[in-house]
Amino acid sequence: MDTENRSEVKTIAIVGPECTGKSDLARFLAQYYQTVWVPEFARSYIDTLNRPYEKQDLVAIAKGQIKAEEELIVKANRLLFCDTNLLVIKIWSEFKYGECDPEILKGIRSRKYDLHLLTSVDVPWVEDPQREHPDKREFLYGLYKTDLIKSNVNFVEIRGLGELRRKTAVHAIAKMLKEPRSHVSKS
């Protein structure tokens, strides 16, 4: 895809607290729409560290997430699904460190998404070495929702399990694209 056609690709960011099904939803939606998705860069970055991550790592993670989005948008078929975006890094930084690096905030202002899917905490917690706060998911969900409202961006809350969650996401995307609602089959 050339640079001219990149503007035709709609980007959808899937955001929310840890362990709310963002990756599963991104993977499903990319398959459903026969396109690509951007995995959460933080996971691979943290896996390569031989130490706990620190505040300054969040800037490197933000840059890596942007780079991954830029690399994959040229491979996208009309839609690009992003498993997280810089909002996730901002919320996490403010929660964990009490502030967010200005470079991350600048990155947020420079990135535009056609739709945000905010994943609810109504899915079971699954232990993972990178997950830190199972008891703070409701609180963090409130921070995401407040930030999305304040930012005045297009977002839809994604609730429920399995088929219901997928169907809500597909319907939100159909509405964004101004297409008839699509049928979601179990998979």
Side-chain angles (χ1 to χ4, degrees), residues 15-17 87-88 90-91 94 116-121 136-159:
V15 299
L87 173 63
V88 173
K90 173 190 179 282
I91 297 288
E94 291 172 347
H116 288 77
L117 301 176
L118 174 58
T119 53
S120 176
V121 298
K136 302 285 190 234
R137 292 194 311 160
E138 285 283 348
F139 174 77
L140 290 165
Y141 183 83
L143 295 178
Y144 282 99
K145 187 171 179 179
T146 298
D147 200 291
L148 290 167
I149 291 168
K150 282 183 183 177
S151 299
N152 197 31
V153 297
N154 186 17
F155 81 96
V156 173
E157 293 178 83
I158 304 297
R159 298 183 177 281

PDB file of all heavy atoms in Angstrom, residues 15-17 87-88 90-91 94 116-121 136-159:
ATOM      1  N   VAL A  15      -8.391  -0.728  23.962  1.00  0.00           N
ATOM      2  CA  VAL A  15      -7.779  -0.238  25.192  1.00  0.00           C
ATOM      3  C   VAL A  15      -8.556  -0.743  26.403  1.00  0.00           C
ATOM      4  O   VAL A  15      -9.713  -1.125  26.299  1.00  0.00           O
ATOM      5  CB  VAL A  15      -7.700   1.311  25.209  1.00  0.00           C
ATOM      6  CG1 VAL A  15      -6.859   1.830  24.053  1.00  0.00           C
ATOM      7  CG2 VAL A  15      -9.085   1.939  25.186  1.00  0.00           C
ATOM      8  N   GLY A  16      -7.893  -0.705  27.545  1.00  0.00           N
ATOM      9  CA  GLY A  16      -8.521  -1.110  28.791  1.00  0.00           C
ATOM     10  C   GLY A  16      -7.480  -1.634  29.751  1.00  0.00           C
ATOM     11  O   GLY A  16      -6.304  -1.779  29.400  1.00  0.00           O
ATOM     12  N   PRO A  17      -7.908  -1.926  30.970  1.00  0.00           N
ATOM     13  CA  PRO A  17      -6.977  -2.446  31.974  1.00  0.00           C
ATOM     14  C   PRO A  17      -6.363  -3.776  31.548  1.00  0.00           C
ATOM     15  O   PRO A  17      -6.845  -4.432  30.615  1.00  0.00           O
ATOM     16  CB  PRO A  17      -7.863  -2.640  33.207  1.00  0.00           C
ATOM     17  CG  PRO A  17      -9.044  -1.772  32.987  1.00  0.00           C
ATOM     18  CD  PRO A  17      -9.255  -1.748  31.506  1.00  0.00           C
ATOM     19  N   LEU A  87      -2.494   5.554  24.952  1.00  0.00           N
ATOM     20  CA  LEU A  87      -3.363   5.823  26.101  1.00  0.00           C
ATOM     21  C   LEU A  87      -3.118   4.798  27.204  1.00  0.00           C
ATOM     22  O   LEU A  87      -3.086   5.137  28.388  1.00  0.00           O
ATOM     23  CB  LEU A  87      -4.836   5.806  25.679  1.00  0.00           C
ATOM     24  CG  LEU A  87      -5.853   5.897  26.816  1.00  0.00           C
ATOM     25  CD1 LEU A  87      -5.715   7.223  27.569  1.00  0.00           C
ATOM     26  CD2 LEU A  87      -7.266   5.717  26.287  1.00  0.00           C
ATOM     27  N   VAL A  88      -2.928   3.559  26.828  1.00  0.00           N
ATOM     28  CA  VAL A  88      -2.664   2.505  27.807  1.00  0.00           C
ATOM     29  C   VAL A  88      -1.373   2.808  28.563  1.00  0.00           C
ATOM     30  O   VAL A  88      -1.306   2.678  29.795  1.00  0.00           O
ATOM     31  CB  VAL A  88      -2.594   1.125  27.109  1.00  0.00           C
ATOM     32  CG1 VAL A  88      -2.160   0.039  28.075  1.00  0.00           C
ATOM     33  CG2 VAL A  88      -3.950   0.790  26.491  1.00  0.00           C
ATOM     34  N   LYS A  90      -0.011   5.799  28.952  1.00  0.00           N
ATOM     35  CA  LYS A  90      -0.274   7.001  29.766  1.00  0.00           C
ATOM     36  C   LYS A  90      -0.971   6.640  31.078  1.00  0.00           C
ATOM     37  O   LYS A  90      -0.530   7.047  32.155  1.00  0.00           O
ATOM     38  CB  LYS A  90      -1.130   7.983  28.976  1.00  0.00           C
ATOM     39  CG  LYS A  90      -1.608   9.183  29.777  1.00  0.00           C
ATOM     40  CD  LYS A  90      -2.663   9.979  28.988  1.00  0.00           C
ATOM     41  CE  LYS A  90      -3.182  11.165  29.745  1.00  0.00           C
ATOM     42  NZ  LYS A  90      -4.171  10.829  30.766  1.00  0.00           N
ATOM     43  N   ILE A  91      -2.064   5.887  30.971  1.00  0.00           N
ATOM     44  CA  ILE A  91      -2.819   5.518  32.172  1.00  0.00           C
ATOM     45  C   ILE A  91      -1.925   4.732  33.125  1.00  0.00           C
ATOM     46  O   ILE A  91      -1.916   4.975  34.335  1.00  0.00           O
ATOM     47  CB  ILE A  91      -4.077   4.695  31.798  1.00  0.00           C
ATOM     48  CG1 ILE A  91      -5.043   5.513  30.957  1.00  0.00           C
ATOM     49  CG2 ILE A  91      -4.750   4.124  33.045  1.00  0.00           C
ATOM     50  CD1 ILE A  91      -5.801   6.604  31.654  1.00  0.00           C
ATOM     51  N   GLU A  94       0.711   7.058  34.781  1.00  0.00           N
ATOM     52  CA  GLU A  94       0.111   7.918  35.815  1.00  0.00           C
ATOM     53  C   GLU A  94      -0.275   7.108  37.050  1.00  0.00           C
ATOM     54  O   GLU A  94      -0.103   7.572  38.173  1.00  0.00           O
ATOM     55  CB  GLU A  94      -1.106   8.650  35.247  1.00  0.00           C
ATOM     56  CG  GLU A  94      -0.731   9.699  34.221  1.00  0.00           C
ATOM     57  CD  GLU A  94      -1.909  10.316  33.499  1.00  0.00           C
ATOM     58  OE1 GLU A  94      -3.042   9.783  33.587  1.00  0.00           O
ATOM     59  OE2 GLU A  94      -1.690  11.336  32.817  1.00  0.00           O
ATOM     60  N   HIS A 116     -12.161   3.663  19.364  1.00  0.00           N
ATOM     61  CA  HIS A 116     -11.542   2.991  20.507  1.00  0.00           C
ATOM     62  C   HIS A 116     -12.547   1.976  21.033  1.00  0.00           C
ATOM     63  O   HIS A 116     -13.730   2.312  21.205  1.00  0.00           O
ATOM     64  CB  HIS A 116     -11.217   3.979  21.631  1.00  0.00           C
ATOM     65  CG  HIS A 116     -10.093   4.894  21.341  1.00  0.00           C
ATOM     66  ND1 HIS A 116     -10.210   5.984  20.515  1.00  0.00           N
ATOM     67  CD2 HIS A 116      -8.810   4.889  21.772  1.00  0.00           C
ATOM     68  CE1 HIS A 116      -9.051   6.617  20.453  1.00  0.00           C
ATOM     69  NE2 HIS A 116      -8.186   5.973  21.198  1.00  0.00           N
ATOM     70  N   LEU A 117     -12.092   0.766  21.271  1.00  0.00           N
ATOM     71  CA  LEU A 117     -12.909  -0.252  21.919  1.00  0.00           C
ATOM     72  C   LEU A 117     -12.374  -0.409  23.339  1.00  0.00           C
ATOM     73  O   LEU A 117     -11.222  -0.818  23.523  1.00  0.00           O
ATOM     74  CB  LEU A 117     -12.836  -1.576  21.156  1.00  0.00           C
ATOM     75  CG  LEU A 117     -13.287  -1.529  19.694  1.00  0.00           C
ATOM     76  CD1 LEU A 117     -13.072  -2.880  19.024  1.00  0.00           C
ATOM     77  CD2 LEU A 117     -14.743  -1.085  19.582  1.00  0.00           C
ATOM     78  N   LEU A 118     -13.179  -0.028  24.323  1.00  0.00           N
ATOM     79  CA  LEU A 118     -12.778  -0.069  25.730  1.00  0.00           C
ATOM     80  C   LEU A 118     -13.247  -1.387  26.327  1.00  0.00           C
ATOM     81  O   LEU A 118     -14.453  -1.601  26.520  1.00  0.00           O
ATOM     82  CB  LEU A 118     -13.374   1.125  26.482  1.00  0.00           C
ATOM     83  CG  LEU A 118     -13.175   1.161  27.997  1.00  0.00           C
ATOM     84  CD1 LEU A 118     -11.700   1.137  28.375  1.00  0.00           C
ATOM     85  CD2 LEU A 118     -13.882   2.374  28.588  1.00  0.00           C
ATOM     86  N   THR A 119     -12.309  -2.274  26.628  1.00  0.00           N
ATOM     87  CA  THR A 119     -12.651  -3.602  27.139  1.00  0.00           C
ATOM     88  C   THR A 119     -12.909  -3.560  28.638  1.00  0.00           C
ATOM     89  O   THR A 119     -12.105  -3.049  29.408  1.00  0.00           O
ATOM     90  CB  THR A 119     -11.543  -4.621  26.812  1.00  0.00           C
ATOM     91  OG1 THR A 119     -10.289  -4.125  27.282  1.00  0.00           O
ATOM     92  CG2 THR A 119     -11.464  -4.884  25.319  1.00  0.00           C
ATOM     93  N   SER A 120     -14.040  -4.122  28.999  1.00  0.00           N
ATOM     94  CA  SER A 120     -14.481  -4.137  30.395  1.00  0.00           C
ATOM     95  C   SER A 120     -13.740  -5.202  31.200  1.00  0.00           C
ATOM     96  O   SER A 120     -13.163  -6.139  30.648  1.00  0.00           O
ATOM     97  CB  SER A 120     -15.988  -4.402  30.438  1.00  0.00           C
ATOM     98  OG  SER A 120     -16.427  -4.502  31.775  1.00  0.00           O
ATOM     99  N   VAL A 121     -13.850  -5.069  32.499  1.00  0.00           N
ATOM    100  CA  VAL A 121     -13.183  -5.985  33.430  1.00  0.00           C
ATOM    101  C   VAL A 121     -14.074  -7.167  33.799  1.00  0.00           C
ATOM    102  O   VAL A 121     -13.814  -7.850  34.786  1.00  0.00           O
ATOM    103  CB  VAL A 121     -12.728  -5.242  34.701  1.00  0.00           C
ATOM    104  CG1 VAL A 121     -11.721  -4.169  34.371  1.00  0.00           C
ATOM    105  CG2 VAL A 121     -13.910  -4.647  35.449  1.00  0.00           C
ATOM    106  N   LYS A 136      -7.181  -3.889  41.027  1.00  0.00           N
ATOM    107  CA  LYS A 136      -7.335  -2.484  40.614  1.00  0.00           C
ATOM    108  C   LYS A 136      -8.014  -2.335  39.256  1.00  0.00           C
ATOM    109  O   LYS A 136      -8.088  -1.237  38.722  1.00  0.00           O
ATOM    110  CB  LYS A 136      -5.963  -1.792  40.567  1.00  0.00           C
ATOM    111  CG  LYS A 136      -5.196  -1.823  41.870  1.00  0.00           C
ATOM    112  CD  LYS A 136      -5.765  -0.846  42.854  1.00  0.00           C
ATOM    113  CE  LYS A 136      -4.844  -0.730  44.050  1.00  0.00           C
ATOM    114  NZ  LYS A 136      -5.506  -0.954  45.296  1.00  0.00           N
ATOM    115  N   ARG A 137      -8.505  -3.411  38.697  1.00  0.00           N
ATOM    116  CA  ARG A 137      -9.059  -3.336  37.343  1.00  0.00           C
ATOM    117  C   ARG A 137     -10.259  -2.399  37.240  1.00  0.00           C
ATOM    118  O   ARG A 137     -10.362  -1.628  36.295  1.00  0.00           O
ATOM    119  CB  ARG A 137      -9.415  -4.726  36.821  1.00  0.00           C
ATOM    120  CG  ARG A 137      -8.176  -5.569  36.593  1.00  0.00           C
ATOM    121  CD  ARG A 137      -8.402  -6.816  35.777  1.00  0.00           C
ATOM    122  NE  ARG A 137      -9.527  -7.620  36.225  1.00  0.00           N
ATOM    123  CZ  ARG A 137     -10.143  -8.521  35.461  1.00  0.00           C
ATOM    124  NH1 ARG A 137      -9.757  -8.719  34.225  1.00  0.00           N
ATOM    125  NH2 ARG A 137     -11.152  -9.224  35.923  1.00  0.00           N
ATOM    126  N   GLU A 138     -11.178  -2.440  38.192  1.00  0.00           N
ATOM    127  CA  GLU A 138     -12.347  -1.544  38.151  1.00  0.00           C
ATOM    128  C   GLU A 138     -11.899  -0.083  38.208  1.00  0.00           C
ATOM    129  O   GLU A 138     -12.401   0.754  37.455  1.00  0.00           O
ATOM    130  CB  GLU A 138     -13.296  -1.827  39.322  1.00  0.00           C
ATOM    131  CG  GLU A 138     -14.114  -3.071  39.165  1.00  0.00           C
ATOM    132  CD  GLU A 138     -15.292  -2.909  38.217  1.00  0.00           C
ATOM    133  OE1 GLU A 138     -15.638  -1.772  37.836  1.00  0.00           O
ATOM    134  OE2 GLU A 138     -15.867  -3.949  37.846  1.00  0.00           O
ATOM    135  N   PHE A 139     -10.980   0.205  39.104  1.00  0.00           N
ATOM    136  CA  PHE A 139     -10.467   1.568  39.235  1.00  0.00           C
ATOM    137  C   PHE A 139      -9.825   2.032  37.929  1.00  0.00           C
ATOM    138  O   PHE A 139     -10.100   3.125  37.436  1.00  0.00           O
ATOM    139  CB  PHE A 139      -9.456   1.642  40.389  1.00  0.00           C
ATOM    140  CG  PHE A 139      -8.765   2.966  40.497  1.00  0.00           C
ATOM    141  CD1 PHE A 139      -9.416   4.064  41.040  1.00  0.00           C
ATOM    142  CD2 PHE A 139      -7.464   3.122  40.042  1.00  0.00           C
ATOM    143  CE1 PHE A 139      -8.785   5.295  41.126  1.00  0.00           C
ATOM    144  CE2 PHE A 139      -6.823   4.357  40.121  1.00  0.00           C
ATOM    145  CZ  PHE A 139      -7.492   5.438  40.669  1.00  0.00           C
ATOM    146  N   LEU A 140      -8.976   1.174  37.362  1.00  0.00           N
ATOM    147  CA  LEU A 140      -8.294   1.521  36.116  1.00  0.00           C
ATOM    148  C   LEU A 140      -9.287   1.681  34.967  1.00  0.00           C
ATOM    149  O   LEU A 140      -9.143   2.581  34.145  1.00  0.00           O
ATOM    150  CB  LEU A 140      -7.227   0.471  35.780  1.00  0.00           C
ATOM    151  CG  LEU A 140      -6.013   0.483  36.717  1.00  0.00           C
ATOM    152  CD1 LEU A 140      -5.196  -0.789  36.553  1.00  0.00           C
ATOM    153  CD2 LEU A 140      -5.166   1.709  36.491  1.00  0.00           C
ATOM    154  N   TYR A 141     -10.305   0.845  34.933  1.00  0.00           N
ATOM    155  CA  TYR A 141     -11.340   0.967  33.908  1.00  0.00           C
ATOM    156  C   TYR A 141     -11.969   2.361  33.963  1.00  0.00           C
ATOM    157  O   TYR A 141     -12.185   3.006  32.934  1.00  0.00           O
ATOM    158  CB  TYR A 141     -12.411  -0.113  34.091  1.00  0.00           C
ATOM    159  CG  TYR A 141     -13.461  -0.085  33.011  1.00  0.00           C
ATOM    160  CD1 TYR A 141     -13.239  -0.717  31.801  1.00  0.00           C
ATOM    161  CD2 TYR A 141     -14.674   0.572  33.201  1.00  0.00           C
ATOM    162  CE1 TYR A 141     -14.193  -0.695  30.798  1.00  0.00           C
ATOM    163  CE2 TYR A 141     -15.631   0.599  32.215  1.00  0.00           C
ATOM    164  CZ  TYR A 141     -15.393  -0.032  31.016  1.00  0.00           C
ATOM    165  OH  TYR A 141     -16.331  -0.001  30.025  1.00  0.00           O
ATOM    166  N   GLY A 142     -12.237   2.830  35.163  1.00  0.00           N
ATOM    167  CA  GLY A 142     -12.790   4.180  35.331  1.00  0.00           C
ATOM    168  C   GLY A 142     -11.859   5.252  34.789  1.00  0.00           C
ATOM    169  O   GLY A 142     -12.317   6.233  34.187  1.00  0.00           O
ATOM    170  N   LEU A 143     -10.558   5.074  34.968  1.00  0.00           N
ATOM    171  CA  LEU A 143      -9.589   6.039  34.436  1.00  0.00           C
ATOM    172  C   LEU A 143      -9.622   6.059  32.911  1.00  0.00           C
ATOM    173  O   LEU A 143      -9.583   7.134  32.295  1.00  0.00           O
ATOM    174  CB  LEU A 143      -8.169   5.711  34.922  1.00  0.00           C
ATOM    175  CG  LEU A 143      -7.906   5.837  36.423  1.00  0.00           C
ATOM    176  CD1 LEU A 143      -6.469   5.429  36.743  1.00  0.00           C
ATOM    177  CD2 LEU A 143      -8.189   7.250  36.914  1.00  0.00           C
ATOM    178  N   TYR A 144      -9.688   4.885  32.300  1.00  0.00           N
ATOM    179  CA  TYR A 144      -9.764   4.820  30.835  1.00  0.00           C
ATOM    180  C   TYR A 144     -11.019   5.508  30.325  1.00  0.00           C
ATOM    181  O   TYR A 144     -10.956   6.323  29.404  1.00  0.00           O
ATOM    182  CB  TYR A 144      -9.762   3.360  30.349  1.00  0.00           C
ATOM    183  CG  TYR A 144      -8.414   2.734  30.357  1.00  0.00           C
ATOM    184  CD1 TYR A 144      -8.009   1.913  31.401  1.00  0.00           C
ATOM    185  CD2 TYR A 144      -7.516   2.960  29.319  1.00  0.00           C
ATOM    186  CE1 TYR A 144      -6.754   1.335  31.413  1.00  0.00           C
ATOM    187  CE2 TYR A 144      -6.260   2.382  29.325  1.00  0.00           C
ATOM    188  CZ  TYR A 144      -5.890   1.569  30.382  1.00  0.00           C
ATOM    189  OH  TYR A 144      -4.642   1.005  30.392  1.00  0.00           O
ATOM    190  N   LYS A 145     -12.139   5.177  30.924  1.00  0.00           N
ATOM    191  CA  LYS A 145     -13.410   5.735  30.459  1.00  0.00           C
ATOM    192  C   LYS A 145     -13.418   7.256  30.612  1.00  0.00           C
ATOM    193  O   LYS A 145     -13.810   7.971  29.688  1.00  0.00           O
ATOM    194  CB  LYS A 145     -14.574   5.110  31.234  1.00  0.00           C
ATOM    195  CG  LYS A 145     -15.929   5.512  30.683  1.00  0.00           C
ATOM    196  CD  LYS A 145     -17.043   4.721  31.325  1.00  0.00           C
ATOM    197  CE  LYS A 145     -18.381   5.166  30.757  1.00  0.00           C
ATOM    198  NZ  LYS A 145     -19.493   4.403  31.342  1.00  0.00           N
ATOM    199  N   THR A 146     -12.946   7.742  31.744  1.00  0.00           N
ATOM    200  CA  THR A 146     -12.881   9.193  31.972  1.00  0.00           C
ATOM    201  C   THR A 146     -11.991   9.861  30.943  1.00  0.00           C
ATOM    202  O   THR A 146     -12.343  10.899  30.386  1.00  0.00           O
ATOM    203  CB  THR A 146     -12.369   9.481  33.403  1.00  0.00           C
ATOM    204  OG1 THR A 146     -13.307   8.929  34.336  1.00  0.00           O
ATOM    205  CG2 THR A 146     -12.210  10.965  33.656  1.00  0.00           C
ATOM    206  N   ASP A 147     -10.828   9.274  30.673  1.00  0.00           N
ATOM    207  CA  ASP A 147      -9.892   9.857  29.704  1.00  0.00           C
ATOM    208  C   ASP A 147     -10.491   9.878  28.306  1.00  0.00           C
ATOM    209  O   ASP A 147     -10.362  10.875  27.580  1.00  0.00           O
ATOM    210  CB  ASP A 147      -8.568   9.094  29.716  1.00  0.00           C
ATOM    211  CG  ASP A 147      -7.429   9.898  29.128  1.00  0.00           C
ATOM    212  OD1 ASP A 147      -7.440  10.130  27.899  1.00  0.00           O
ATOM    213  OD2 ASP A 147      -6.540  10.303  29.889  1.00  0.00           O
ATOM    214  N   LEU A 148     -11.150   8.805  27.901  1.00  0.00           N
ATOM    215  CA  LEU A 148     -11.765   8.751  26.577  1.00  0.00           C
ATOM    216  C   LEU A 148     -12.880   9.792  26.442  1.00  0.00           C
ATOM    217  O   LEU A 148     -12.998  10.450  25.410  1.00  0.00           O
ATOM    218  CB  LEU A 148     -12.300   7.344  26.293  1.00  0.00           C
ATOM    219  CG  LEU A 148     -11.235   6.265  26.072  1.00  0.00           C
ATOM    220  CD1 LEU A 148     -11.860   4.876  26.119  1.00  0.00           C
ATOM    221  CD2 LEU A 148     -10.482   6.486  24.780  1.00  0.00           C
ATOM    222  N   ILE A 149     -13.660   9.959  27.493  1.00  0.00           N
ATOM    223  CA  ILE A 149     -14.722  10.969  27.476  1.00  0.00           C
ATOM    224  C   ILE A 149     -14.121  12.368  27.372  1.00  0.00           C
ATOM    225  O   ILE A 149     -14.550  13.170  26.535  1.00  0.00           O
ATOM    226  CB  ILE A 149     -15.634  10.840  28.720  1.00  0.00           C
ATOM    227  CG1 ILE A 149     -16.457   9.538  28.639  1.00  0.00           C
ATOM    228  CG2 ILE A 149     -16.552  12.060  28.858  1.00  0.00           C
ATOM    229  CD1 ILE A 149     -17.161   9.163  29.938  1.00  0.00           C
ATOM    230  N   LYS A 150     -13.127  12.642  28.204  1.00  0.00           N
ATOM    231  CA  LYS A 150     -12.473  13.970  28.174  1.00  0.00           C
ATOM    232  C   LYS A 150     -11.824  14.250  26.825  1.00  0.00           C
ATOM    233  O   LYS A 150     -11.795  15.391  26.368  1.00  0.00           O
ATOM    234  CB  LYS A 150     -11.410  14.076  29.272  1.00  0.00           C
ATOM    235  CG  LYS A 150     -11.954  14.317  30.640  1.00  0.00           C
ATOM    236  CD  LYS A 150     -10.811  14.475  31.626  1.00  0.00           C
ATOM    237  CE  LYS A 150     -11.292  14.640  33.031  1.00  0.00           C
ATOM    238  NZ  LYS A 150     -10.175  14.712  33.993  1.00  0.00           N
ATOM    239  N   SER A 151     -11.297  13.223  26.194  1.00  0.00           N
ATOM    240  CA  SER A 151     -10.619  13.385  24.907  1.00  0.00           C
ATOM    241  C   SER A 151     -11.602  13.559  23.757  1.00  0.00           C
ATOM    242  O   SER A 151     -11.192  13.878  22.646  1.00  0.00           O
ATOM    243  CB  SER A 151      -9.721  12.180  24.623  1.00  0.00           C
ATOM    244  OG  SER A 151      -8.737  12.052  25.616  1.00  0.00           O
ATOM    245  N   ASN A 152     -12.864  13.301  24.022  1.00  0.00           N
ATOM    246  CA  ASN A 152     -13.920  13.456  23.018  1.00  0.00           C
ATOM    247  C   ASN A 152     -13.639  12.619  21.764  1.00  0.00           C
ATOM    248  O   ASN A 152     -13.749  13.106  20.646  1.00  0.00           O
ATOM    249  CB  ASN A 152     -14.116  14.932  22.664  1.00  0.00           C
ATOM    250  CG  ASN A 152     -15.441  15.174  21.977  1.00  0.00           C
ATOM    251  OD1 ASN A 152     -16.419  14.470  22.235  1.00  0.00           O
ATOM    252  ND2 ASN A 152     -15.472  16.148  21.087  1.00  0.00           N
ATOM    253  N   VAL A 153     -13.242  11.367  21.983  1.00  0.00           N
ATOM    254  CA  VAL A 153     -12.982  10.452  20.871  1.00  0.00           C
ATOM    255  C   VAL A 153     -14.119   9.450  20.758  1.00  0.00           C
ATOM    256  O   VAL A 153     -14.884   9.236  21.706  1.00  0.00           O
ATOM    257  CB  VAL A 153     -11.631   9.712  21.040  1.00  0.00           C
ATOM    258  CG1 VAL A 153     -10.461  10.689  21.019  1.00  0.00           C
ATOM    259  CG2 VAL A 153     -11.610   8.869  22.304  1.00  0.00           C
ATOM    260  N   ASN A 154     -14.220   8.836  19.608  1.00  0.00           N
ATOM    261  CA  ASN A 154     -15.227   7.822  19.356  1.00  0.00           C
ATOM    262  C   ASN A 154     -14.825   6.545  20.091  1.00  0.00           C
ATOM    263  O   ASN A 154     -13.770   5.971  19.812  1.00  0.00           O
ATOM    264  CB  ASN A 154     -15.320   7.583  17.841  1.00  0.00           C
ATOM    265  CG  ASN A 154     -16.434   6.652  17.450  1.00  0.00           C
ATOM    266  OD1 ASN A 154     -17.358   6.391  18.214  1.00  0.00           O
ATOM    267  ND2 ASN A 154     -16.346   6.142  16.232  1.00  0.00           N
ATOM    268  N   PHE A 155     -15.668   6.109  21.054  1.00  0.00           N
ATOM    269  CA  PHE A 155     -15.364   4.856  21.740  1.00  0.00           C
ATOM    270  C   PHE A 155     -16.638   4.115  22.084  1.00  0.00           C
ATOM    271  O   PHE A 155     -17.709   4.694  22.210  1.00  0.00           O
ATOM    272  CB  PHE A 155     -14.491   5.080  22.981  1.00  0.00           C
ATOM    273  CG  PHE A 155     -15.224   5.518  24.225  1.00  0.00           C
ATOM    274  CD1 PHE A 155     -15.620   4.593  25.183  1.00  0.00           C
ATOM    275  CD2 PHE A 155     -15.495   6.864  24.452  1.00  0.00           C
ATOM    276  CE1 PHE A 155     -16.280   5.002  26.331  1.00  0.00           C
ATOM    277  CE2 PHE A 155     -16.147   7.283  25.594  1.00  0.00           C
ATOM    278  CZ  PHE A 155     -16.547   6.341  26.540  1.00  0.00           C
ATOM    279  N   VAL A 156     -16.473   2.788  22.205  1.00  0.00           N
ATOM    280  CA  VAL A 156     -17.565   1.901  22.569  1.00  0.00           C
ATOM    281  C   VAL A 156     -17.050   0.979  23.666  1.00  0.00           C
ATOM    282  O   VAL A 156     -15.935   0.458  23.570  1.00  0.00           O
ATOM    283  CB  VAL A 156     -18.038   1.068  21.349  1.00  0.00           C
ATOM    284  CG1 VAL A 156     -19.056   0.017  21.752  1.00  0.00           C
ATOM    285  CG2 VAL A 156     -18.589   1.981  20.270  1.00  0.00           C
ATOM    286  N   GLU A 157     -17.872   0.796  24.699  1.00  0.00           N
ATOM    287  CA  GLU A 157     -17.517  -0.138  25.766  1.00  0.00           C
ATOM    288  C   GLU A 157     -17.832  -1.561  25.303  1.00  0.00           C
ATOM    289  O   GLU A 157     -18.902  -1.823  24.768  1.00  0.00           O
ATOM    290  CB  GLU A 157     -18.286   0.188  27.038  1.00  0.00           C
ATOM    291  CG  GLU A 157     -17.869   1.530  27.627  1.00  0.00           C
ATOM    292  CD  GLU A 157     -18.664   1.879  28.860  1.00  0.00           C
ATOM    293  OE1 GLU A 157     -18.292   1.380  29.953  1.00  0.00           O
ATOM    294  OE2 GLU A 157     -19.645   2.629  28.725  1.00  0.00           O
ATOM    295  N   ILE A 158     -16.893  -2.448  25.517  1.00  0.00           N
ATOM    296  CA  ILE A 158     -17.027  -3.846  25.119  1.00  0.00           C
ATOM    297  C   ILE A 158     -17.171  -4.677  26.398  1.00  0.00           C
ATOM    298  O   ILE A 158     -16.255  -4.748  27.203  1.00  0.00           O
ATOM    299  CB  ILE A 158     -15.807  -4.322  24.299  1.00  0.00           C
ATOM    300  CG1 ILE A 158     -15.580  -3.423  23.080  1.00  0.00           C
ATOM    301  CG2 ILE A 158     -15.962  -5.785  23.914  1.00  0.00           C
ATOM    302  CD1 ILE A 158     -16.709  -3.426  22.064  1.00  0.00           C
ATOM    303  N   ARG A 159     -18.349  -5.258  26.546  1.00  0.00           N
ATOM    304  CA  ARG A 159     -18.668  -6.042  27.748  1.00  0.00           C
ATOM    305  C   ARG A 159     -19.107  -7.451  27.360  1.00  0.00           C
ATOM    306  O   ARG A 159     -19.439  -7.709  26.226  1.00  0.00           O
ATOM    307  CB  ARG A 159     -19.792  -5.371  28.528  1.00  0.00           C
ATOM    308  CG  ARG A 159     -19.454  -3.998  29.027  1.00  0.00           C
ATOM    309  CD  ARG A 159     -20.592  -3.416  29.861  1.00  0.00           C
ATOM    310  NE  ARG A 159     -20.228  -2.128  30.382  1.00  0.00           N
ATOM    311  CZ  ARG A 159     -19.458  -1.916  31.439  1.00  0.00           C
ATOM    312  NH1 ARG A 159     -18.965  -2.935  32.107  1.00  0.00           N
ATOM    313  NH2 ARG A 159     -19.166  -0.700  31.840  1.00  0.00           N
TER     314      ARG A 159
END
